[in-house]
Amino acid sequence: MYSTNQAMLYKHHVHDGQPYIFYIDIRSGGKGYEEFVERAQKEDGVIYIRGKVSKLYRDNGKVKVVGVDTIANKTVEIDADLVVLAMAMVPTPGTKALANTLKIQVGENGFLKEAHPKLRPLESITAGYYLAGCAQGPKDIPDVVSQASGTASKVVSLFSGEYLQLEPTIATVDEELCSACRICISVCPYKAREFDEEKGIAIVNEALCESCGSCVAACPSGASSQRNLTDKQISSMATSILKESENKDS
Ligand code: SF4
Ligand code: SF4
């Protein structure tokens, strides 16, 4: 889309110029975007050529652009004054380090990742950290503004309640079983575990716990568990699922 915008701006300033855009796939998914591309073609005369540029070289003070038009199935040669490469947007170099510090995820392209694309699109997996704008991926200005508004509302709602709502499956420690080995403290990725020197056991900071279950899996004494997600409950769920699938098969 920004290539189209730049081509139109060029045409508005250089009235007798001719902008060309080589493309493989026009990403115009958004309200009014398709019409914007159409307007560029019809009103500003931007010529879109589906295909790749194969060669660029200087020729008589111009830049010769040689490419292929895959729709017309022919070679195209253009004498250009200026050739601009439409660069892809990439994450800021410090994004990965920031994500590691905040314990939030990055997606396969290196941008910060939301907790769930449909159900929690504004939140990271760590409570209290929200996403807005191009930190999450390439976006245009209206999308950034609406996402930032949504994120601001989320933050306001976080502080508007009298109590902080927690996940029902946060970790807990059986004081009788804890052997004070501190393994859970070292494995907790959210720093929700600490050692209570007075009691001589590991405890859970419930406001920080994200119910990931790492401490439960690592605890050698069986002292750690998740509320509402005990071994017995998991076993019952698994048994019930297996029974259901057996009934379907029979
Ligand atoms: S890993 Fe288990 S036994 Fe060890 S300190 Fe943590 S809760 Fe206690
Ligand atoms: S469930 Fe995860 S976040 Fe919560 S205390 Fe255990 S390791 Fe930390």
Side-chain angles (χ1 to χ4, degrees):
M1 287 302 290
Y2 79 83
S3 300
T4 300
N5 191 32
Q6 297 294 322
M8 287 169 85
L9 284 174
Y10 162 77
K11 186 68 182 174
H12 294 169
H13 288 87
V14 185
H15 302 298
D16 58 346
Q18 175 58 61
Y20 296 87
I21 296 179
F22 280 87
Y23 74 96
I24 289 297
D25 189 17
I26 300 176
R27 303 288 177 98
S28 57
K31 189 180 175 187
Y33 289 7
E34 197 65 42
E35 291 79 2
F36 186 70
V37 174
E38 267 182 36
R39 210 171 78 221
Q41 291 172 296
K42 287 180 184 159
E43 294 180 16
D44 291 313
V46 179
I47 295 177
Y48 286 78
I49 300 170
R50 192 192 180 279
K52 288 185 178 174
V53 172
S54 58
K55 201 193 283 182
L56 294 174
Y57 58 92
R58 291 202 177 279
D59 185 31
N60 274 338
K62 297 272 186 183
V63 182
K64 184 76 90 180
V65 180
V66 183
V68 62
D69 183 334
T70 55
I71 293 176
N73 199 20
K74 63 175 187 184
T75 304
V76 181
E77 286 192 15
I78 298 165
D79 291 325
D81 296 314
L82 181 69
V83 176
V84 180
L85 180 64
M87 296 293 292
M89 186 180 270
V90 295
T92 312
T95 302
K96 188 94 171 67
L98 177 69
N100 285 341
T101 305
L102 303 181
K103 311 286 181 210
I104 60 181
Q105 291 178 309
V106 292
E108 59 181 323
N109 293 320
F111 291 97
L112 299 181
K113 193 177 174 190
E114 62 285 337
H116 189 284
K118 288 182 181 162
L119 302 177
R120 294 170 65 196
L122 305 175
E123 298 158 67
S124 70
I125 54 161
T126 305
Y129 294 112
Y130 298 91
L131 307 177
C134 294
Q136 193 189 18
K139 288 184 187 63
D140 64 6
I141 294 169
D143 281 352
V144 169
V145 171
S146 54
Q147 192 187 20
S149 304
T151 300
S153 305
K154 280 268 174 198
V155 174
V156 169
S157 71
L158 185 69
F159 293 110
S160 61
E162 203 171 330
Y163 300 101
L164 187 65
Q165 288 190 352
L166 300 173
E167 289 290 324
T169 51
I170 54 174
T172 183
V173 178
D174 185 329
E175 298 187 8
E176 299 296 320
L177 295 179
C178 179
S179 63
C181 68
R182 303 181 193 221
I183 290 174
C184 54
I185 298 173
S186 63
V187 300
C188 177
Y190 298 97
K191 303 204 184 311
R193 286 290 196 146
E194 49 201 72
F195 197 75
D196 186 328
E197 297 290 349
E198 207 171 294
K199 289 184 176 173
I201 57 161
I203 55 172
V204 179
N205 182 333
E206 296 185 349
L208 296 179
C209 178
E210 290 289 330
S211 309
C212 72
S214 302
C215 58
V216 180
C219 178
S221 314
S224 290
S225 61
Q226 281 177 265
R227 288 181 191 168
N228 305 306
L229 202 62
T230 60
D231 288 351
K232 204 173 163 191
Q233 284 171 304
I234 294 170
S235 168
S236 300
M237 282 191 269
T239 310
S240 153
I241 291 167
L242 286 173
K243 265 191 192 156
E244 225 172 80
S245 75
E246 273 173 16
N247 289 343
K248 272 184 196 160
D249 292 344
S250 60

